Amino acid sequence: MVGSCNGLVCFCIPHHRVNDPVYICNPITTEYINLPRLEIKYGVVISGFGYHFSSNTYKVVRIHYTDRFRTFEPITKGSVEIYTLGSGTGWRNIGEITYKLCDTGVLANGSLYWLDYEQKRIVVFPLGDEHFRCLPTIPQCLRDSENATYHVKVLGGDLCLVHVDAGKHVHIWSYKNKHKRNDIDNDKEEGYQSLSWTLEFRIPCIDPDGKYEPFALTKKNEVLLWLNRTCLCCYDKTDDCLYEIVAEDRNLSFGAF
């Protein structure tokens, strides 16, 4: 799954070892649309799906990296294409980027976000102006990364960086408005200057070898996590306790995450 918003879900369908975002559906109405597939049959595709409120448009972003597979050299650039639902124009090529993005883009406030793990930075793509840029600041943990993993998530409506210090703690950093205003336009560079990183949660690991994946906040500001993709857990900040809601059950569908 690439992403979902307002009831629409975008999926990748692998073909020729390329994960291409080519299917969008509404599971409630059963309506769907097929997007044209990538003609090139090699490489790596990084994608994202989101909604831009001001223009009332849904867009799919597809970034295709090819050079690593053709020359066996490190990736140096990716070709970027945009598909706007209902436009009738198909995929639009908007140029190339040198960011080495990983995972699927996450949607927050009209922008898609990726982690450039190699360069230790977070890249943002506003769906309004369609120009990539780096966030002006990153959490300290990303600068000092050793024996740790990182993922960009959206929790409680805020952009977050999940930092897993293997076997010790899961740290969740939130990118919030330090002026406590709600009128920041994230399509504008000055909007990002009003945001800052805050360490919101420091969750103890109950399984030193476990894989932790936070995916939601409750109304009580508790963190819901998957542990090893089969155990549902909850972290309560008030008593600093991580406890199991559903014990290990391989019948649980992690795909719902």
Side-chain angles (χ1 to χ4, degrees):
M1 188 173 74
V2 177
S4 65
C5 55
N6 299 335
L8 298 182
V9 186
C10 179
F11 291 98
C12 279
I13 298 180
H15 63 89
H16 301 91
R17 300 182 180 181
V18 176
N19 290 321
D20 201 5
V22 297
Y23 182 71
I24 297 175
C25 70
N26 184 326
I28 303 300
T29 65
T30 70
E31 295 175 291
Y32 67 93
I33 181 175
N34 290 313
L35 280 57
R37 291 191 173 192
L38 187 69
E39 295 183 359
I40 301 176
K41 299 178 180 180
Y42 55 86
V44 172
V45 171
I46 301 296
S47 53
F49 173 62
Y51 173 74
H52 186 249
F53 179 79
S54 298
S55 60
N56 189 30
T57 55
Y58 293 88
K59 297 182 180 183
V60 183
V61 179
R62 180 170 70 185
I63 307 162
H64 184 216
Y65 296 96
T66 61
D67 51 327
R68 182 176 64 180
F69 291 83
R70 299 185 68 178
T71 64
F72 299 98
E73 295 293 332
I75 291 175
T76 58
K77 60 184 178 180
S79 176
V80 184
E81 294 179 294
I82 309 293
Y83 189 100
T84 304
L85 270 67
S87 67
T89 59
W91 288 103
R92 294 182 289 112
N93 191 308
I94 64 169
E96 296 179 336
I97 59 170
T98 56
Y99 301 118
K100 301 173 179 64
L101 307 183
C102 60
D103 298 326
T104 299
V106 300
L107 176 68
N109 302 316
S111 297
L112 290 169
Y113 296 84
W114 286 270
L115 179 64
D116 183 338
Y117 197 94
E118 182 175 311
Q119 299 297 323
K120 298 181 181 179
R121 55 191 176 185
I122 295 174
V123 177
V124 57
F125 182 79
L127 293 173
D129 66 22
E130 298 184 349
H131 285 89
F132 285 91
R133 58 177 67 95
C134 291
L135 290 187
T137 60
I138 59 173
Q140 182 63 39
C141 66
L142 193 55
R143 302 188 187 98
D144 303 329
S145 60
E146 287 186 12
N147 300 321
T149 58
Y150 300 87
H151 297 283
V152 177
K153 299 285 185 182
V154 174
L155 300 173
D158 294 317
L159 177 70
C160 295
L161 180 71
V162 179
H163 162 218
V164 181
D165 192 359
K168 298 178 181 178
H169 291 89
V170 178
H171 300 89
I172 299 179
W173 294 78
S174 180
Y175 197 51
K176 288 186 174 182
N177 193 334
K178 56 190 176 184
H179 297 310
K180 299 186 182 299
R181 293 167 46 209
N182 296 318
D183 59 349
I184 293 295
D185 183 357
N186 276 351
D187 279 357
K188 298 179 180 179
E189 184 69 27
E190 58 265 27
Y192 298 105
Q193 305 299 332
S194 298
L195 303 171
S196 62
W197 291 99
T198 303
L199 181 60
E200 294 285 346
F201 300 97
R202 187 173 183 267
I203 305 172
C205 294
I206 57 177
D207 179 355
D209 299 318
K211 182 178 181 180
Y212 297 84
E213 302 188 51
F215 66 92
L217 297 181
T218 70
K219 292 182 179 180
K220 296 181 180 179
N221 204 36
E222 300 166 318
V223 184
L224 297 179
L225 310 90
W226 286 108
L227 172 57
N228 297 327
R229 301 194 174 191
T230 57
C231 180
L232 184 61
C233 297
C234 181
Y235 173 72
D236 188 345
K237 190 175 182 179
T238 57
D239 57 11
D240 192 28
C241 180
L242 179 66
Y243 58 91
E244 294 182 355
I245 298 177
V246 180
E248 184 171 347
D249 182 355
R250 297 194 178 278
N251 291 320
L252 285 174
S253 175
F254 181 75
F257 172 84

